[in-house]
Amino acid sequence: EQVFLFTELRNMAGEVVVHTWEYRGSVIAQVHFQVEQPHVRLWSVRWLTPDMQGSWRVVVTNAAGTVLTEKNLDYNPDDLPF
């Protein structure tokens, strides 16, 4: 399964933004974006397998490490509608 995090940014041209994907408290991936425009929409994606069920968190930070937002999700492949 694919899980996406979409981020809309305004007035951050010239900055770096990072999506940090955490699974059960451990960093699994970091995706760095160089923001080029005053208004952008960014996204990152994770492919999840049944053995990756449980708590996930994605933290969006700037280059200084300031948290811009964070999202939590619980992945359970048994709960999927298909």
Side-chain angles (χ1 to χ4, degrees):
E1 301 300 323
Q2 287 181 308
V3 177
F4 292 86
L5 178 75
F6 292 91
T7 307
E8 184 173 2
L9 302 171
R10 294 182 187 272
N11 303 317
M12 293 187 69
E15 295 193 44
V16 173
V17 172
V18 181
H19 285 183
T20 300
W21 290 80
E22 299 176 0
Y23 175 58
R24 296 184 177 173
S26 296
V27 173
I28 301 300
Q30 288 188 311
V31 183
H32 294 76
F33 301 95
Q34 178 65 49
V35 180
E36 304 277 332
Q37 303 294 323
H39 179 217
V40 296
R41 293 181 182 106
L42 310 170
W43 67 90
S44 61
V45 62
R46 293 298 308 158
W47 286 88
L48 303 182
T49 59
D51 63 321
M52 299 171 124
Q53 65 184 349
S55 297
W56 283 83
R57 181 169 86 138
V58 188
V59 182
V60 180
T61 59
N62 64 13
T66 302
V67 174
L68 305 175
T69 191
E70 63 182 74
K71 300 294 178 187
N72 296 296
L73 69 101
D74 287 314
Y75 172 62
N76 184 347
D78 296 332
D79 290 343
L80 297 175
F82 42 87

